[in-house]
Amino acid sequence: MPKKPYIIIMAGGIGSRFWPYSRRHKPKQFLDVLGEGRSLLQMTFDRFSELADPEQFIVITYTKYLDQVKEQLPELQDHQILSEPARKNTATCIAYATYKIFSRDPEAELIITPADHLVREDDRFKAVMGVALKVAKEGNRLVTIGITPDRPETGYGYIQYHHQEGNEAMKVKTFTEKPNEALAKTFLESGDFVWNSGIFIWKAKSLIHALKTHLPDLADAFEEGIGHLNTAKEGEFIQKAYLQVKSISIDYGVMEKSEEVYVIPSDFGWSDLGSWESLYELRQQDENKNVVEANAMLYDTKNCLIKTDSDRLVVIRGLENYLVNEEDNVLLICPINTEKEFRQFVADAKKKGVKFI
Amino acid sequence: MPKKPYIIIMAGGIGSRFWPYSRRHKPKQFLDVLGEGRSLLQMTFDRFSELADPEQFIVITYTKYLDQVKEQLPELQDHQILSEPARKNTATCIAYATYKIFSRDPEAELIITPADHLVREDDRFKAVMGVALKVAKEGNRLVTIGITPDRPETGYGYIQYHHQEGNEAMKVKTFTEKPNEALAKTFLESGDFVWNSGIFIWKAKSLIHALKTHLPDLADAFEEGIGHLNTAKEGEFIQKAYLQVKSISIDYGVMEKSEEVYVIPSDFGWSDLGSWESLYELRQQDENKNVVEANAMLYDTKNCLIKTDSDRLVVIRGLENYLVNEEDNVLLICPINTEKEFRQFVADAKKKGVKFI
């Protein structure tokens, strides 16, 4: 039987884009956003449960979310849940998890995934993972999953690849973060750009090789304490290491610099659930194209997402393309495509001294 | 010193037009709708406090509102608060209060007023009351106050009068309930129509005379038990009398039939506060023409009334001419001019089993 991969789930994000539904104390990954009874973190775990055994999962999260992870994933042992003492972006997060696994299993193969994305076609997803693991076996390859774009989305990163007929994995040419609309259109038309899903597949030693080459300070910080990992001293060591390292993303720090990056253009019903509108699109809509998760009476109301956390009666008349979300101490009413203004809402609410932002 | 009038305040209405702010268990008259610290009932009491001594007030209300009246008007003795065991419309209500006063003071002069209307110009109001009391002294006159209309309102009753140059009180010609818009326009243009304010001034014996003439059954019911009024048997007698009498309004039962009705066309900043929109118009508006009684952050929002009963943060973007009212177990969002649909909302909420409609 071939070796099974380790699954590293990154679950430390703040995710205020579903505010006020998501909060700093309960970000997106811990929410059952589809109303199907499983949080995004749990759905992520489920998605990989046929690819790896429970003991091969590592969830890495921010200290204050530790209890939520334990509660939501009782399948995991405490040592499988890594706690980051500070937010130092994805390169640090991935380095920690990778060194931790590598120190016990130098031949480990890893799949790294965000905890708060959605995949609708699990079978296709699993097939892609199989291909990626195969591709990642060779040399020091770093494999990333690209999503075939269906619109000129300006909120995502794009990956351009060298088109190689017949290959499932393509050599990566460039990374571009959030293009403007004109550029996004050009990308879409050109046909050799995919969205950056933030899902990575590699051998632990390939990543360590890349860290040593492109982020030597980060590699050094972990190399120095590698003997402490998986011992009683791990916590103390990590505390210090996190004080010392820079905050940098894996894309910027490694992927954009390495010559050994491959992308697998894919299509498995992926969404990063980056906005209320994206959630609205994914949810079951009623005959008036409303998504209702509330005790509601709607009149002359279309294309709305109505969601409350209580059994309070919500009576709405004459709204179209609106979001109404009441959660705990906040009621939000705004056009469903309000996206950029969200930061303003949250910042203003913070200034106002609102609790539990 | 001339005799002071008795003031009968009718405070038994249900007033669901400010739903969900107003509820069956807390109707409009008990609410501080202007946010000035006094309920409409209390403002009505205040309005007459220079015209009559506290012991000359009678508040007549529905049984279940008794405690709210006592709480809001501690100036009154228990015997000044009459409790109606059933809703039998204004003729019955006024007959009860009138017989009660008449049995102790056959020469009593009465002013009868709704508890849930608004008067903005108290001095002008007082002057009008003075005129009305003077006019009512003669014969068996029934005096009503008309409001000079400033728009073709279709929600009010209209009173047509015989124009008599130089007179303050005019003989009434016709009553018309809620005309359609074309008719309301004709009324407005003709210049001899005023709105029916529901404020009446007469001697107790004039009204009793009119009741005997036009509503003899109602008069008989009270005449029969007049000896019980102001005794320990009053409650029992009223309970029986209310079972027996028909439900009929004073306008339909007496005013439209009597030949001795006079109206005083007036203008003292009156409003019956019959809709959210009328309340919005009367309230202090901010620079964006919003009326806000909530912990709110508004963006791109104009001409809205935002009112909540908690300190929950309300964030709104992109609403114009809307009402947002959250009270207890109901959140309502609808165009501010939604008026006719209110009954539907309340009826549907009732069907849904919502508590405290």
Side-chain angles (χ1 to χ4, degrees), chain A residues 288-338:
Chain A
N288 295 311
K289 301 272 177 206
N290 294 312
V291 174
V292 181
E293 200 177 308
N295 180 20
M297 298 186 339
L298 306 183
Y299 305 82
D300 193 17
T301 289
K302 284 179 208 160
N303 307 321
C304 288
L305 198 166
I306 319 291
K307 178 169 170 51
T308 65
D309 65 349
S310 77
D311 60 359
R312 178 173 288 117
L313 178 69
V314 182
V315 183
I316 298 178
R317 183 170 164 255
L319 284 189
E320 216 162 307
N321 303 310
Y322 269 72
L323 163 70
V324 175
N325 179 220
E326 181 163 73
E327 298 281 333
D328 194 42
N329 59 341
V330 178
L331 164 63
L332 173 64
I333 306 169
C334 66
I336 186 94
N337 64 2
T338 298

Side-chain angles (χ1 to χ4, degrees), chain A residues 19 295-297 299 312-319 322 324 326 328-335 338 341 344-345 348-349 352 354, chain B residues 19 295-297 299 312-319 322 324 326 328-335 338 341 344-345 348-349 352 354:
Chain A
W19 186 84
N295 180 20
M297 298 186 339
Y299 305 82
R312 178 173 288 117
L313 178 69
V314 182
V315 183
I316 298 178
R317 183 170 164 255
L319 284 189
Y322 269 72
V324 175
E326 181 163 73
D328 194 42
N329 59 341
V330 178
L331 164 63
L332 173 64
I333 306 169
C334 66
T338 298
E341 291 83 353
Q344 192 62 43
F345 296 164
D348 289 351
K352 225 172 148 56
V354 174
Chain B
W19 188 84
N295 178 22
M297 300 188 334
Y299 304 82
R312 178 174 289 118
L313 178 70
V314 182
V315 183
I316 298 178
R317 182 169 165 258
L319 284 190
Y322 269 73
V324 176
E326 181 164 73
D328 194 42
N329 59 342
V330 178
L331 163 64
L332 173 65
I333 305 169
C334 65
T338 298
E341 293 82 353
Q344 193 61 43
F345 295 165
D348 289 352
K352 226 173 145 54
V354 174

Side-chain angles (χ1 to χ4, degrees), chain B residues 67-84:
Chain B
D67 289 342
Q68 289 186 76
V69 174
K70 285 184 188 178
E71 195 187 308
Q72 295 206 346
L73 294 179
E75 299 87 345
L76 302 189
Q77 306 291 316
D78 281 0
H79 69 85
Q80 293 176 265
I81 308 173
L82 309 193
S83 155
E84 293 194 279

Side-chain angles (χ1 to χ4, degrees), chain A residues 3 8 10 31 37 53 107 128 150 185 207 217 272 283:
Chain A
K3 196 172 156 80
I8 299 173
M10 296 182 291
L31 301 174
D53 298 325
E107 298 306 317
V128 170
D150 59 9
K185 275 184 184 154
L207 193 264
D217 290 350
D272 79 337
R283 294 286 302 258

Side-chain angles (χ1 to χ4, degrees), chain B residues 1-275:
Chain B
M1 206 174 82
K3 195 171 156 78
K4 287 184 177 173
Y6 290 83
I7 312 298
I8 299 172
I9 302 177
M10 295 182 289
I14 302 178
S16 67
R17 292 183 185 201
F18 291 155
W19 188 84
Y21 175 33
S22 68
R23 305 285 181 108
R24 276 176 189 269
H25 68 279
K26 186 143 192 164
K28 191 177 135 197
Q29 59 270 27
F30 301 114
L31 302 174
D32 173 20
V33 297
L34 294 189
E36 294 178 355
R38 297 286 280 168
S39 73
L40 289 171
L41 172 63
Q42 291 172 321
M43 292 174 85
T44 303
F45 177 81
D46 298 346
R47 187 177 308 135
F48 288 96
S49 58
E50 283 180 37
L51 283 168
D53 298 326
E55 57 272 21
Q56 284 177 281
F57 281 79
I58 290 282
V59 176
I60 179 158
T61 192
Y62 192 50
T63 312
K64 68 172 169 182
Y65 305 142
L66 212 55
D67 289 342
Q68 289 186 76
V69 174
K70 285 184 188 178
E71 195 187 308
Q72 295 206 346
L73 294 179
E75 299 87 345
L76 302 189
Q77 306 291 316
D78 281 0
H79 69 85
Q80 293 176 265
I81 308 173
L82 309 193
S83 155
E84 293 194 279
R87 293 179 206 276
K88 292 282 184 162
N89 215 326
T90 48
T92 311
C93 167
I94 291 170
Y96 177 15
T98 300
Y99 272 102
K100 167 119 178 162
I101 294 169
F102 177 79
S103 72
R104 284 180 313 178
D105 183 355
E107 298 306 316
E109 295 171 2
L110 315 179
I111 299 178
I112 294 139
T113 178
D116 60 350
H117 291 180
L118 188 76
V119 167
R120 280 324 232 168
E121 297 173 44
D122 277 354
D123 287 342
R124 289 171 83 165
F125 179 78
K126 258 182 287 175
V128 170
M129 290 300 112
V131 171
L133 286 164
K134 206 176 61 195
V135 172
K137 276 190 205 303
E138 217 168 291
N140 282 318
R141 284 180 175 179
L142 305 177
V143 181
T144 180
I145 305 299
I147 306 295
T148 308
D150 59 9
R151 60 184 190 278
E153 174 66 52
T154 57
Y156 296 159
Y158 283 74
I159 302 172
Q160 185 185 24
Y161 58 84
H162 295 281
H163 210 88
Q164 295 155 291
E165 208 58 56
N167 282 17
E168 288 176 304
M170 316 288 194
K171 199 130 201 292
V172 167
K173 215 158 149 184
T174 59
F175 282 81
T176 309
E177 256 307 288
K178 299 178 183 168
N180 64 29
E181 204 170 326
L183 198 53
K185 275 184 184 153
T186 312
F187 287 178
L188 186 67
E189 283 157 18
S190 85
D192 55 357
F193 281 83
V194 285
W195 293 331
N196 187 350
S197 73
I199 302 171
F200 308 109
I201 300 93
W202 48 57
K203 291 176 287 187
K205 59 186 176 194
S206 304
L207 194 264
I208 287 173
H209 173 80
L211 290 176
K212 284 178 175 167
T213 312
H214 304 293
L215 293 173
D217 290 349
L218 183 62
D220 285 352
F222 282 99
E223 292 282 342
E224 200 178 296
I226 198 164
H228 297 317
L229 295 174
N230 303 303
T231 75
K233 290 192 174 163
E234 176 172 332
E236 196 189 329
F237 160 61
I238 288 297
Q239 197 80 31
K240 273 189 208 151
Y242 266 73
L243 274 178
Q244 178 185 336
V245 300
K246 279 190 301 186
S247 175
I248 192 164
S249 77
I250 195 78
D251 293 299
Y252 184 72
V254 174
M255 306 303 278
E256 294 184 17
K257 282 158 187 154
S258 168
E259 296 291 326
E260 308 196 67
V261 180
Y262 287 77
V263 65
I264 303 179
S266 312
D267 183 4
F268 38 67
W270 174 88
S271 168
D272 79 336
L273 290 166
S275 65

